[in-house]
Amino acid sequence: MLTTTACPSTLKALIRTIPDFPKPGIQFRDITTLLESPSGWKQTIDSLANRYRGRGIQKLVAIESRGFALGGALAPHLGCGLVLARKKGKLPGKVVRQEYALEYGHDCIEIHTDAIRRGESCLIIDDLLATGGTCQATCSLVERMGGRVTSCAFVVNLPDLKGSQRLARYDLHWLVEFDGD
Ligand code: AMP
């Protein structure tokens, strides 16, 4: 049984900041260093599993690409299916598509049309919440397919970019915050 609760200061210390990536002025919060820590990664997954276990989640919708690592580790703990929300042109089957604006540029996200059934309870997962555009586009796709967005979970929130305000109508959860972005 999982009982660990994440210690935010421990997890925060394991997330590396790379200045000026992918373009000048962006402080990139890099979770690959958290992935490399066995205890930090276990704390991350345990904490999310403890929060969402027993809430009737039927589909975990993971956002490309770091969301895939979180989703793959978390889905078996929740006993739910894993759905991949991918960038344009990566999924082989018929897709629903949504365009959105990023903190740095524009992008497009797609989900297989048969991946979510009407009425299914969905948890959206990604590594980081910045402006909220990526998550909002993913929520829109889920809702267009008839799914219900039960919650959206992140490892990191960047409060200065106000994604939580943009996504105010959803239940939101994150483990750590970085101010000043
Ligand atoms: P947004 O749509 O603005 O909330 O951006 C969130 C998505 O972009 C997530 O998939 C993140 O992985 C990525 N992202 C945006 N800003 C950053 C950042 N400062 N550091 C790391 N990843 C970021």
Side-chain angles (χ1 to χ4, degrees):
M1 178 169 166
L2 299 170
T3 53
T4 313
T5 303
C7 170
S9 60
T10 305
L11 296 188
K12 200 167 170 175
L14 288 167
I15 296 167
R16 171 170 60 180
T17 296
I18 299 183
D20 301 320
F21 182 87
K23 69 178 193 182
I26 302 293
Q27 298 270 85
F28 195 88
R29 309 301 183 176
D30 175 21
I31 69 153
T32 63
T33 40
L34 174 62
L35 289 166
E36 289 166 17
S37 164
S39 63
W41 186 237
K42 184 176 187 317
Q43 270 192 52
T44 302
I45 299 305
D46 285 0
S47 178
L48 292 168
N50 288 337
R51 181 176 181 90
Y52 289 108
R53 192 184 289 108
R55 286 186 55 179
I57 304 293
Q58 292 167 290
K59 290 283 166 63
L60 181 56
V61 181
I63 298 175
E64 186 168 354
S65 62
R66 290 170 293 275
F68 293 174
L70 287 154
L74 185 57
H77 291 290
L78 303 184
C80 66
L82 178 64
V83 174
L84 305 185
R86 299 213 63 179
K87 301 293 164 60
K88 190 176 181 178
K90 299 285 182 69
L91 289 169
K94 196 174 171 195
V95 297
V96 280
R97 175 180 304 158
Q98 186 78 39
E99 295 200 357
Y100 64 98
L102 274 179
E103 182 188 357
Y104 40 83
H106 290 266
D107 219 329
C108 175
I109 202 128
E110 298 177 340
I111 296 179
H112 274 143
T113 51
D114 56 358
I116 294 168
R117 295 197 182 87
R118 189 156 293 279
E120 278 189 321
S121 170
C122 299
L123 169 62
I124 315 296
I125 187 123
D126 201 1
D127 64 327
L128 182 141
L129 174 61
T131 66
T134 313
C135 186
Q136 188 176 50
T138 307
C139 291
S140 297
L141 284 183
V142 168
E143 290 170 341
R144 279 167 56 194
M145 298 165 82
R148 289 182 293 113
V149 177
T150 299
S151 185
C152 307
F154 311 88
V155 177
V156 179
N157 179 39
L158 304 182
D160 291 16
L161 295 176
K162 300 185 174 14
S164 62
Q165 292 174 28
R166 186 173 185 166
L167 298 171
R169 73 188 185 94
Y170 298 107
D171 176 78
L172 305 176
H173 176 64
W174 54 81
L175 302 180
V176 303
E177 287 190 329
F178 286 88
D179 293 313
D181 284 282

